Amino acid sequence: MHLLNHLLWTLSAAAITTTAALAAPSHLWATHYNGNVYTLTLSGDAFSVTDTRKTCGDLPSWLTFDSHTRTLYCSDESGTSDPSTHGSLTAYHAAADGVLHELATTETIGGGVNSVIYEGDNRKKFIAIAHYEGSAVSTFALPLHDNASTQQAFHFHMKHPGAVSQQDAPHPHEVFLDPTGTFLISPDLGMDVLHVYAINSATGHLSSCPSVKIQFGSGPRHGVFWTDGTGKEPWWVSAGDGDAQRHMWAPVGKTMMYLVNEIGGTMMVFDVAYSRSGCISFYKKQTLVPYTNGEMPEGATPAEIREIGNAFYVSIRSDGGFPGKNDSMVMLDRSPRSGLVSLRNKTPAHGKVPRTFAINRAGDLVAIGNQASATVAIVRRDRESGILGEQVAILQVGEPGKVGTTEGLSSVIWDE
Ligand SMILES: *[C@@H]1O[C@H](CO)[C@@H](O)[C@H](O)[C@H]1NC(C)=O
Ligand SMILES: *[C@@H]1O[C@H](CO)[C@@H](O)[C@H](O)[C@H]1NC(C)=O
């Protein structure tokens, strides 16, 4: 009797384990410069395109997902800084199976790439967009409506060109938030600066803080903050706009920022300080080349940076570091004591030009978007060591593109 019970228990436990292993499939979305947004479905090692949508203008470039409302935003990189041209922003509701239903679309300043959602009082949300060719940062109030107007636009100008031809004009490449959600940072590849804004939580307006100069010829592209995650506390600052004091947030504990520079091929580490002036300041602690032997191969450029805890990852485009000229993913360890990083290892991107990659929430899988190959490779990530392991699945998503053009797979994210 006891034996039978035990046997039944063992069997049902095994059944539960099997069910868990066969858990609901994961979905991802990818944009391609061919004018499509794709829904991808990953079930174990079975990986396929389950929806293809002609949308997001001529050059779908980047995706940002609001998982609370299941709203996906796509920026279209069409257009330049010439105001007679434009890009677009499109919002979709994402069904449980990852299929997208368009909610609204509007024209934007040209050259929209990365975007970020930020929150004001009463859970009011806004989205900011970095416009690479448009030399601007713009914002919209959410939810997005058809033909909505830009809420705010910051247009940048340069007196002198930068170190290389790519620095002919300001080129904001990303917009990202500090860990308290109070500041927005935009690395500008053309100007060699970080634009810094304080978010007014009542209106969603951005006010300019002093920008941060990055070494000439660096070409800052993407950054991530690191925080020890001990929360945030109210922070009263003197306000320049009439109010004697303004309420903001400051982190409890330590905050740092890690930046990759496309042109200089370097990574920089900053200490971050919250000041009574109502802005944040960055103090550079380290500059290194995130590559073996501290030297970036000729023509190779760092692209995306992500972190989990003290494990940092940088994708390297066109280093051809693996057989078949496959490019590399570099892992760096952050010293918990100093906050400085050092190279751990280099693993294959399983394709060419890994423009974007995304770690899933569980931290056990990484989706690598190889632009020129137009593939999404899923690789295992060891949650203990942080090391990237074998390829679980790989999928061709649209046609390959030529290296160094606006062709191929432009971005990939997880539906979570
Ligand atoms: C948005 O603009 C387009 C083109 O001008 C127009 O056809 C459409 O009716 C507008 N939609 C709304 C909701 O105003
Ligand atoms: C490059 O990566 C792809 C994807 O994993 C693989 O199919 C191909 O064999 C690799 N090339 C070589 C020469 O190993």
Side-chain angles (χ1 to χ4, degrees), residues 15 18 41 48 89 141 150 155 201 246 256 297 305 333 339 356 378:
T18 313
T41 299
S48 59
L89 174 67
T150 301
H155 295 274
S201 61
R246 199 148 48 87
M256 296 182 70
I305 177 167
D333 288 320
T356 68
I378 307 289

Side-chain angles (χ1 to χ4, degrees), residues 323-326 350-351 391 394:
K325 292 209 186 309
N326 279 336
H350 299 286
Q391 177 185 293
I394 189 160

Side-chain angles (χ1 to χ4, degrees), residues 366-378:
V366 179
I368 304 168
N370 286 300
Q371 181 179 349
S373 314
T375 55
V376 174
I378 307 289

Side-chain angles (χ1 to χ4, degrees), residues 182-183 196-198 207-211 235 237-238 246 248-249 272-282:
T182 314
F183 294 98
V196 182
Y197 300 96
S207 53
S208 299
C209 283
S211 57
W235 184 247
V237 299
S238 53
R246 199 148 48 87
M248 295 178 80
W249 295 99
V272 180
Y274 289 68
S275 100
R276 292 281 172 204
S277 69
C279 284
I280 44 176
S281 312
F282 296 84

Side-chain angles (χ1 to χ4, degrees), residues 63-400:
L63 297 169
T64 295
F65 187 47
D66 179 344
S67 60
H68 297 286
T69 60
R70 291 198 58 78
T71 312
L72 184 73
Y73 298 90
C74 183
S75 33
D76 159 24
E77 206 177 324
S78 302
T80 64
S81 57
D82 176 345
S84 70
T85 68
H86 62 85
S88 64
L89 174 67
T90 307
Y92 311 86
H93 176 72
D97 61 0
V99 173
L100 303 175
H101 303 277
E102 190 173 314
L103 295 171
T105 187
T106 193
E107 290 183 358
T108 65
I109 294 169
V113 284
N114 176 269
S115 71
V116 70
I117 295 165
Y118 60 96
E119 211 168 304
D121 300 337
N122 306 317
R123 299 177 175 257
K124 182 102 183 73
K125 289 178 181 175
F126 305 85
I127 192 166
I129 306 170
H131 300 273
Y132 183 91
E133 280 300 332
S135 299
V137 166
S138 73
T139 65
F140 287 87
L142 300 180
L144 189 71
H145 297 294
D146 271 325
N147 306 336
S149 311
T150 301
Q151 170 165 282
Q152 248 184 320
F154 298 88
H155 295 274
F156 307 113
H157 304 280
M158 276 162 68
K159 288 199 192 79
H160 308 286
V164 296
S165 60
Q166 211 183 337
Q167 295 186 305
D168 58 336
H171 291 308
H173 214 303
E174 190 193 29
V175 275
F176 63 108
L177 303 180
D178 80 309
T180 70
T182 314
F183 294 98
L184 185 142
I185 316 299
S186 182
D188 190 319
L189 184 143
M191 288 181 86
D192 288 325
V193 301
L194 307 177
H195 303 290
V196 182
Y197 300 96
I199 296 167
N200 179 325
S201 61
T203 60
H205 279 89
L206 306 179
S207 53
S208 299
C209 283
S211 57
V212 180
K213 277 205 175 64
I214 304 297
Q215 189 184 336
F216 182 72
S218 293
R221 179 181 172 96
H222 278 203
V224 286
F225 279 91
W226 180 95
T227 173
D228 54 10
T230 43
K232 57 185 183 179
E233 59 188 359
W235 184 247
W236 294 92
V237 299
S238 53
D241 50 10
D243 312 328
Q245 294 261 281
R246 199 148 48 87
H247 174 248
M248 295 178 80
W249 295 99
V252 178
K254 195 165 178 56
T255 300
M256 296 182 70
M257 202 272 287
Y258 296 76
L259 179 73
V260 290
N261 298 308
E262 172 171 336
I263 295 165
T266 55
M267 177 167 171
M268 290 174 177
V269 178
F270 299 85
D271 269 334
V272 180
Y274 289 68
S275 100
R276 292 281 172 204
S277 69
C279 284
I280 44 176
S281 312
F282 296 84
Y283 302 95
K284 191 166 76 184
K285 291 188 74 177
Q286 185 186 13
T287 302
L288 79 160
V289 176
Y291 206 80
T292 31
N293 305 323
E295 202 180 324
M296 194 58 65
E298 183 69 29
T301 56
E304 185 62 284
I305 177 167
R306 305 272 185 192
E307 59 96 13
I308 292 194
N310 288 314
F312 283 69
Y313 305 87
V314 176
S315 62
I316 309 290
R317 298 176 300 181
S318 301
D319 71 311
F322 286 91
K325 292 209 186 309
N326 279 336
D327 290 336
S328 303
M329 299 288 296
V330 163
M331 180 185 172
L332 302 107
D333 288 320
R334 175 184 181 280
S335 155
R337 195 173 42 83
S338 64
L340 305 185
V341 290
S342 55
L343 192 87
R344 165 77 80 90
N345 72 354
K346 187 162 77 68
T347 56
H350 299 286
K352 295 183 178 64
V353 189
R355 181 177 195 242
T356 68
F357 68 94
I359 307 172
N360 69 352
R361 198 175 284 157
D364 59 359
L365 294 174
V366 179
I368 304 168
N370 286 300
Q371 181 179 349
S373 314
T375 55
V376 174
I378 307 289
V379 299
R380 190 92 57 206
R381 176 180 178 275
D382 185 297
R383 284 164 28 136
E384 294 302 314
S385 67
I387 288 182
L388 302 188
E390 83 278 10
Q391 177 185 293
V392 175
I394 189 160
L395 182 62
Q396 187 72 44
V397 182
E399 66 282 4

